[in-house]
Amino acid sequence: MFTGIVEHMGTVSSIVPLDTSASGGGGFSITVADAAPVLVDVNLGDSISVNGVCLTVTEFDDARTWFKIGVSPETLRKTNLGDLKNTDKVNLERAMNASTRFGGHMVQGHVDTTVTIHSITPDPPNSYIFTFKVDSPTDASSADLFSYIIPKGYTCLDGTSLTITKVDRVHRTFSIMLIAYTQEKVVMMSRKVGDRVNLEVDQLGKYVESVVESVLEREDQGQEGGVIGRLVRRIVDERLREAGVISASQ
């Protein structure tokens, strides 16, 4: 788990295709340099968030200045890591531990999809508003991630915990604001209109949706005593009593 508070920006120094016999092909090994602040207590097998993607440290140097991670084909399909080039900056955050002060929001490092930067607008005196476009689901079985995006809710963009300032459901866009301090600490300011950004929606919305769907499914199956059914019956009875259709004792 992560907080979405970026600790440091590292630099991509090498991108090498993985051995097809070992990985099944299509993946990459990425070396991230200038990474000393997040390697002080690292061990092989530890998780580090790279642009919001939870990845496993497979190698690092004795001086703890660089580390390697493997990126699978599935990760490349879901994220923007396949767009990386040598010298690109990446957001880095170590996984949480028991003594971590919690400053962002609960982030899994499991990127849901990528969104496209729709516009970048200065917000004087020293802030910027970034607006992102969320694509519609590709098929009927895919969840519409836009339903999890709400004004003043959390979102995680390239591993950065940010507050949603505006939602336009007609055009399927949402906006966040970067203050001057954040601009210096994350990679977002190096992005341009049309670039893809990793998105992880707030997982709380997913849990709530799952519970509600389960309740509604039981109701559809005609199970007695369901939460929704009891609520509906209570409201109907109250309205009937108010209209005098049934007595107060019923």
Side-chain angles (χ1 to χ4, degrees), residues 3-240:
T3 68
I5 303 300
V6 174
E7 294 185 85
H8 182 67
M9 286 190 288
T11 305
V12 175
S13 62
S14 175
I15 303 174
V16 179
L18 289 171
D19 180 4
T20 57
S21 64
S23 68
F28 290 90
S29 172
I30 299 177
T31 301
V32 180
D34 305 322
V38 298
L39 297 179
V40 291
D41 56 356
V42 72
N43 295 297
L44 293 179
D46 282 356
S47 295
I48 289 182
S49 171
V50 180
N51 277 359
V53 185
C54 178
L55 295 167
T56 301
V57 176
T58 59
E59 184 180 347
F60 57 87
D61 63 324
D62 293 338
R64 294 175 182 259
T65 60
W66 58 260
F67 68 95
K68 288 185 179 181
I69 40 111
V71 181
S72 70
E74 172 65 10
T75 301
L76 293 173
R77 285 190 290 268
K78 288 286 189 180
T79 73
N80 65 5
L81 295 188
D83 300 339
L84 290 176
K85 306 178 297 296
N86 285 340
T87 74
D88 279 353
K89 294 291 185 180
V90 289
N91 291 330
L92 302 177
E93 181 193 352
R94 288 169 291 180
M96 294 170 59
N97 60 43
S99 62
T100 297
R101 293 185 63 195
F102 192 78
H105 76 282
M106 197 71 75
V107 177
Q108 293 179 306
H110 300 162
V111 171
D112 292 293
T113 189
T114 58
V115 291
T116 304
I117 298 178
H118 182 69
S119 65
I120 304 172
T121 308
D123 188 20
N126 54 14
S127 298
Y128 282 85
I129 296 173
F130 281 71
T131 299
F132 304 87
K133 179 68 177 285
V134 183
D135 290 337
S136 299
T138 55
D139 57 71
S141 63
S142 299
D144 187 356
L145 296 171
F146 198 69
S147 64
Y148 305 123
I149 296 174
I150 60 173
K152 304 306 177 184
Y154 288 118
T155 189
C156 189
L157 295 165
D158 275 348
T160 307
S161 174
L162 294 162
T163 301
I164 298 166
T165 59
K166 182 180 179 181
V167 176
D168 183 338
R169 301 208 175 276
V170 174
H171 298 98
R172 297 184 61 86
T173 62
F174 70 94
S175 302
I176 57 92
M177 182 184 67
L178 287 188
I179 62 174
Y181 177 84
T182 308
Q183 293 168 29
E184 300 173 352
K185 303 296 182 181
V186 301
V187 302
M188 191 67 73
M189 288 305 296
S190 67
R191 306 295 193 206
K192 60 185 183 298
V193 172
D195 282 356
R196 295 193 304 151
V197 176
N198 292 329
L199 170 70
E200 180 183 337
V201 297
D202 188 11
Q203 59 183 299
L204 179 60
K206 294 180 180 180
Y207 290 139
V208 172
E209 181 182 59
S210 178
V211 171
V212 171
E213 284 182 344
S214 177
V215 170
L216 292 175
E217 183 179 350
R218 291 198 298 271
E219 294 289 341
D220 289 341
Q221 293 172 353
Q223 295 185 22
E224 294 294 331
V227 175
I228 303 299
R230 292 199 303 271
L231 178 61
V232 170
R233 285 192 292 273
R234 186 180 71 183
I235 293 173
V236 170
D237 287 347
E238 289 176 354
R239 296 296 179 268
L240 291 174

